[in-house]
Structure formats: structure tokens, C-alpha cells
Amino acid sequence: MAEQKDEVLLKVEKVYYPPKRVLDKALISKEEFDQMYKRSIENPEEFWAEMAEKELYWFKKWDKVFEWNFPYYKWFIGGKLNITYNCLDRHVKNGKRNKVAYIYTNEDNQEIKITYGELLELVNKIANGLKSLGVQKGDRVVIYMPLVIEQLASMLACARIGAIHSVVYAGFSANALRMRIEDAKAKIVITSTWTKRRGKKIDLKSVVDEAVDGLDFVEKIVVLQREGDEFELAEKEIDFYQLIKDQSSECEPEIMDAEDPLFILYTSGSTGKPKGVLHTIGGYNLYTHVTTKYVFDIHEDDIYWCTADPGWITGHSYMVYGPLSVGTTSVIAEGAPDYPDPGRWWSIVEKYRVNIFYTAPTAIRLFMKYGEEWPAKYDLSSLRILGSVGEPINPEAWIWYYENIGRKQCSIVDTWWQTETGGHMITTVPAYPQKPGKAGKPFLGIEADVVNKDGEPVPPNNVGYLVIRKPWPSALRTCWGEPERFEKYWTEIDNLYFSGDLATKDEDGYIMILGRADDVINVSGHRIGTAEVESALVSHPAVAEAAVIGKPHDIKGESIKAFVILRKDYQPSENLVNDLKMHVRHELGSLAVPDEIEFVDKLPKTRSGKIMRRILRAKELGMPLGDISTLED
Ligand code: WT7
């Protein structure tokens, strides 16, 4: 495993100390963090219980903080709460009724602001609307919507009444959406007519039509009709605003158990179909709250902007639940980062005086390509904290971000985490010294390590598997309907949480993430399983066999290359390449479309018939082939 990653082990060792203006304001200093960390590891139950008491409102206190029946664990057993009460009601009751919760903007510079008071009313109306459709505690609701306030409010409405939401990113294809609706057996799908990207309308409704066709268990499709729409609703469909118009703006929050499910979010694994990662309410609420507060150092008057989409875990934890629980004002922006021009994001930072900005390395590299003259046109002096997430940030991009966006006046937090972890696991807090390219230290309560296959720590700066030693409050509880896939996280290396990533740890305990150890590709911060793309390709009549690898890419981090063996009677051609790309787009969505397709006669396989993607990749990149003793011939 190590030989592929040697190229990444750069010797960059410069340490960046936080600027004075960050230190002066920081909620916790480096020393305070170190002390808290020590306590959180020595006595995790006491630490988390204290945090839970201080930071959240509970209808009933828990009886027991933590229980671990390997590999299953529970937090705050017997505790009762509702995450929307923590995100909305308590702020409204505590003088923040008129504080803005979200500022929405889009490519046309439209602006919509919604206060905590208004958001609570909207959420309650949607919640009552869902109830009127027969949605009950424990029912699944799939949300397939663009980044609009109604999307976030729909998630919260589910949580209000104890329904389990499963948000599907609106870039996924009909087939990908259908698989998720079927797997979760969703009673209701909430969607919208379209989204706009680069000035072009993208139809979402027709994707849903195709996805739900023939699925009898789907009882209703709630459709948010947007400006300029004119069409008739079909039998099972109901207009979003029609549904909520006459509903009461009051809806008592359902009293939920700390271990009741909050949501399912599908993510790619190394084999087969995506897994439905399940998160529960209490631990997730607490952990996303605490990380939002300390990692982003959020103060009462801060404006916070996370550029993700609620279709991903980043949107769940750091656009919805974390920021609302903390009570901050968030910017949300529908559309592309560089449309109508590459200054769009920086104009938003300037206009709303954004203090905390959270994005992905792929976006930073895109802006590097456009040149520093674009951010230079704008006043970015409000920025104090810059965040990075989704993939390793190369030191060049880190330094560019630091200099051209942060103007050397910001701290950078490079947050490593996963859909499964629910919240930030490894990062430096803003008052901590930073090393470009190294995510940093485990967060409070997290024991992270870099180990070999047997779970033994590797020496400093050696490559190994990134693992977490014990369950933390927001760790996934299971994989929906597939407990055996959940159990693998804790049994792959016995007794440790196996992240699937390769990493190193230096003498100061700073962890550097090198990328995935398994057959998962990271394209622009999005996880794509090689097996998913391969089975999409093989479902095309021309394809006999396919193997897919990730290749380094300047902007996207990785790009997808497919090797394809054609069936008899099919000849390689440019047309066929395009056809196969279209096919993958239809099966999975545009994110999963290979950049390159190469037709081959043979694929390297083990004697037991497994494709050796490692060898394809090494050949493609001109690297040593490594151990080929298991190769068939
Ligand atoms: C995988 C998880 C966490 C939200 C977005 C992605 C990679 C994530 C970092 C980072 C290096 C990172 C890992 C991880 N990753 N953040 N700061 N540095 N790599 O969530 O889709 O579940 O993907 O993204 O490979 O395993 P996800």
C-alpha cells in the first residue's frame, strides 16, 4: 500500500502561527485546548456529559453516558431531546427570534433572509404538512432538492416529528436516486422543479418521475414549484406551498430518544452499492455543536459560510445542525462558484462580511487557476477563519488560500472527517500552529492513530492506516439494513475504527492524510466507489468487463479512468466512448463519469479472478508495479 503514496510525502515543514487577531478572539487558546484534550481522553464520559449539559437542552437527562457492546455503542442512554428544539426553539426563546439564521443567495444575486423565528414557523408548517400526509416517527422521507431554504427546512421538519430524512444530492441520476428511495423504503419524496447552475436550468422533477416510477410504497411526492413553472401535478403529487399554506406554525417537537435515528445518508464504499450511514440524535447533536463552536471559533456576531450542499455530510453537520445549534448566521449560495464570473464567491464574502469560510481544496485549486487578480478585487478583510474539507489539501493550495484569501490574517483549519464520523475528527483549532498539508491533531475526545494491519502504531512519519481508538458521540450507529457492513468498520483491524484512509503522524503528533487505502476514488471531494462505476459500465451492452482507477488531477484531486473490454461485435470508437460516458451519467450522475476510457483486451487479475486495480494504476502513472506474486499471468 505504501509505495503508491511516496510521491505525496513532501518535506514541507514550515509552521504557520495563528495571527494575533485570531488569537485575541479565540474561544480557546492552545494551552486550553491541550488541557481539555487531556481531560477528554482520560475521562471521556465525564467530559462529554459536562459538554452535553452545558451545550444542549434535554427534555430528560440521560441515565448513563456511554455503553459499548462491541461493536455497537450508545451515548446518553435514556436521554430525551429534539435536535430542532436545540437548533431553533431555544434561540427564539432566548432573545434571538429576530437574528438571521440563513442568508440565501444565487447566481442572479437574489437575496432571501430568514430569521430564527421565521425558520421555526416554516419548519413547523412543513412538519404539520408532513403529518397531514401520514408521516410518523421513524418513517423515511427522501429529500431531492437544490440548495434553497426549503431544503434545509424540510430536513428540520422531519427531525421535528421524528421522521428519518435521507437527503440525496440533486446531481445524482434517476437510477442512483431510485436505489436510495428503494433501500430506505421512503414514504414521501420532497423535491423541486429545477436548480440553476451556470445560468442553465437543470430539471430535477423529471429525474424524480423516472426514479419513483412503479414504486408503490412511495405515497406522495411533494414538489416545490419555482418561479416560472407551469405544469400540472400528477396524481401522487402535491405542491409544497399548497401543503403547508393552511398549516399551523406551531408544532410540538416530538420527544425523541438520544439513540433514535436522525438521518440516513448514502455514501460509497469499496464494494457494491452505497451504504446507508445512520446517525442518531443525541451524540450527533452534541458533537456537531461542539466542533462547530470550537473548530470555527464562532462568536455571537459572526457570519459563517460553508459552500457545501446538504446532499453531503458537510451540509448536514456544518450547514444545518451544527451552525443552527450554535445559533449562528449562515450564508448559503445556490449555483456554481465561478459563475457569472470567478469573482462571485469573493463578492459574496465582501457583501455579507463573512468571517468564517469553509470550502474544499478542489474549489481553491480552481480559483488558483483563475489567478489571484480575482480575489484581489474584493475586500476580504472580514475573514478570520478559513476551513478546508473533503480531500487532502496540497501545501501549494494551502499557501495560496492563506495568502490570497486569508491575506495572511487568518487561521486555516484543515478538517479531516467522513460521512461515518458525523463531525470533524482531525484538525487544528484556530489558535493552534498550522502545518500546510497536515490536517493536524485529533479533536477533543478523539484518539486517532496511524497503525499497521495488526493495529500496531507505525513509527513517526511512516505510512499506515488511520484509525480511531474508541467510539465518539457522533460515530455512525449502523448501515441501514446491512449491520454486517457496519461491523466491518470495527473488525477490519480488531477493536479500532478503520477509516479506510492512509496517513502519517509526525513527531509533534500532526497527522497528514494521504488518501484512500481502498477502492474508493475522491473526485472533487466526492467519494466514488470504483465498483459502482464498473458495474454501471458493465450494464452497457457493449461492455464485457471494466476496471476503474483514480488518477491525480490538478483541480479535482483525482479523476476517473476506466479500462474497458468490449464484447464481441463491438469496435472501439470515439462515439462509443461518448456513449459509455452518457451511460454512466444516466446510471450514477455526472460526478461519476470517467474522464478517460481506454479499450483493452485484458485486465490484470489475481488467480482468484479479482481485478488488480493497483497494477493498472501503477502502470498508468509509470510507477513500480509492486508485489505481483498473486497476478494470474
Ligand atoms: C473521505 C470522506 C467529510 C466531509 C466530506 C467528505 C477524505 C475528507 C479530508 C481532509 C484529507 C479528507 C478522506 C475521507 N477527506 N476530509 N481534510 N484531508 N482527506 O466526506 O464523502 O464521507 O469522504 O474524504 O479520504 O475518508 P466523505
Side-chain angles (χ1 to χ4, degrees), residues 267 312-314 358 388-393 414-421 426 439 499-501 513-516 522 525-527:
T267 188
W312 313 109
I313 190 68
T314 307
Y358 191 33
S388 175
V389 62
E391 49 179 319
I393 178 164
D414 174 5
T415 60
W416 177 86
W417 58 296
Q418 308 176 297
T419 306
E420 296 87 337
T421 71
I426 297 171
S499 69
D501 279 0
I513 318 296
L514 304 172
R516 302 286 307 190
N522 189 327
H526 304 308
R527 257 160 86 166

Side-chain angles (χ1 to χ4, degrees), residues 446-503:
I446 304 300
E447 270 182 272
D449 212 341
V450 179
V451 303
N452 65 19
K453 274 198 209 81
D454 302 319
E456 296 150 353
V458 300
N461 301 312
N462 279 42
V463 177
Y465 300 106
L466 178 59
V467 296
I468 313 291
R469 294 204 174 275
K470 283 188 202 127
W472 57 100
S474 66
L476 81 162
R477 296 302 195 262
T478 192
C479 295
W480 186 255
E482 296 180 305
E484 59 298 342
R485 285 180 102 179
F486 164 78
E487 288 168 12
K488 270 200 87 174
Y489 286 98
W490 294 93
T491 53
E492 185 83 40
I493 297 180
D494 196 29
N495 260 294
L496 301 173
Y497 170 82
F498 182 74
S499 69
D501 279 0
L502 294 172

